[in-house]
Amino acid sequence: AAGLSLGEYCAVAAAGGMEDMDAIRLVRRRGILMQNTVPAGEGGMCAVMGLEASKIEEVIDEMTGFGIEAGDVTVANYNCPGQIVITGKKQAVEAAAGKMKEAGAKRTMMLNVSGPFHSPMLAAAGEELGKELETVRLHPLSIPYVTNVTACKVEDIAETKGLLKEQVSSSVRWMQSMEYMIQEGTDTFVEIGPGKTLAGFMKKINREVKVYNIGSWEDMEKTLECLC
């Protein structure tokens, strides 16, 4: 199982590691903490289209020392080839967006978000979430899940609390997670939830695998017919 950002809680629950109601409660608490940690207007996020991840990382590294400190701008989401999201202090993100265009990005777009999600600026939120996680009883995993933090599978539930705490302020390595799952032999993916965002990402990651979407009861029946 795997889930993008807060979807990782769904993955943990689906893998048998967490009760559904605990996952829902934690996601709500996580959202409140992320919202309240950085004052409104101080953080920002920007989608960068048409530029390789390695080039984006290079541009960020080059900005350090020119009025931008390490950690002011980082990668929030590695969604898929050609679509990466950066995050951090708003002015630094805006400056980085300009540098990305100079480096060859086809387009940059500041996102209408309430905070610098998956940024080191939210480390304090992760610490507070860690306290909340200590109140939750986890269970042995029935199947592995792939964590956003490392883009590798987790088989020992003892790792989960630390990873969920770290995930708040670290990059979401979704593209790398999907590549890892494919390397591990996964050839069929089922996206569960409204929309087809993750399926769209997969088309850019690897067109050879099969992808199904379940956004309604009818979709589930059709998917089961195809898989069974």
Side-chain angles (χ1 to χ4, degrees):
L4 192 154
S5 192
L6 67 83
E8 184 161 329
Y9 288 77
C10 302
V12 175
M18 184 184 297
E19 298 295 329
D20 291 348
M21 288 308 298
D22 284 330
I24 292 168
R25 179 171 61 83
L26 284 169
V27 166
R28 179 178 184 274
R29 181 62 179 156
R30 174 181 179 271
I32 292 170
L33 290 169
M34 293 173 79
Q35 177 73 38
N36 294 341
T37 297
V38 179
E42 289 191 11
M45 301 179 75
C46 177
V48 181
M49 269 72 94
L51 196 61
E52 291 183 3
S54 58
K55 187 62 179 179
I56 290 173
E57 293 165 349
E58 182 182 317
V59 171
I60 290 173
D61 288 342
E62 289 174 351
M63 291 184 68
T64 304
F66 292 90
I68 304 295
E69 297 182 8
D72 284 357
V73 184
T74 56
V75 174
N77 295 64
Y78 295 88
N79 288 333
C80 63
Q83 187 180 134
I84 308 292
V85 178
I86 59 175
T87 184
K89 293 184 178 180
K90 188 173 183 180
Q91 290 184 335
V93 171
E94 290 172 342
K99 294 292 184 182
M100 299 297 171
K101 291 294 290 290
E102 292 175 9
K106 292 181 180 178
R107 184 185 176 198
T108 62
M109 181 175 63
M110 293 298 295
L111 303 180
N112 183 22
V113 293
S114 56
F117 302 129
H118 295 291
S119 159
M121 295 175 72
L122 293 181
E127 291 297 325
E128 288 300 314
L129 181 64
K131 298 175 184 178
E132 194 77 21
L133 284 161
E134 288 306 315
T135 69
V136 176
R137 181 184 177 189
L138 300 183
H139 310 288
L141 296 165
S142 56
I143 59 172
Y145 74 93
V146 177
T147 172
N148 295 171
V149 177
T150 65
C152 292
K153 66 182 175 183
V154 177
E155 296 179 292
D156 183 357
I157 195 65
E159 300 176 36
T160 297
K161 290 182 179 180
L163 288 166
L164 291 177
K165 172 183 168 182
E166 185 178 353
Q167 189 230 45
V168 172
S169 57
S170 67
S171 302
V172 175
R173 300 182 181 277
W174 185 255
M175 175 173 66
Q176 297 91 329
S177 296
M178 296 300 98
E179 290 169 343
Y180 171 81
M181 291 179 74
I182 292 168
Q183 290 171 2
E184 288 286 293
T186 305
D187 60 9
T188 303
F189 293 79
V190 181
E191 178 180 7
I192 301 175
K196 299 182 178 182
T197 300
L198 302 183
F201 291 164
M202 185 59 83
K203 287 181 180 178
K204 296 182 179 180
I205 296 170
N206 189 312
R207 286 182 169 273
E208 301 302 315
V209 299
K210 295 180 180 179
V211 181
Y212 299 91
N213 297 87
I214 297 178
S216 66
W217 186 263
E218 291 75 16
D219 290 340
M220 186 177 74
E221 291 179 333
K222 291 177 182 178
T223 300
L224 286 174
E225 287 177 6
C226 293
L227 295 178
C228 300

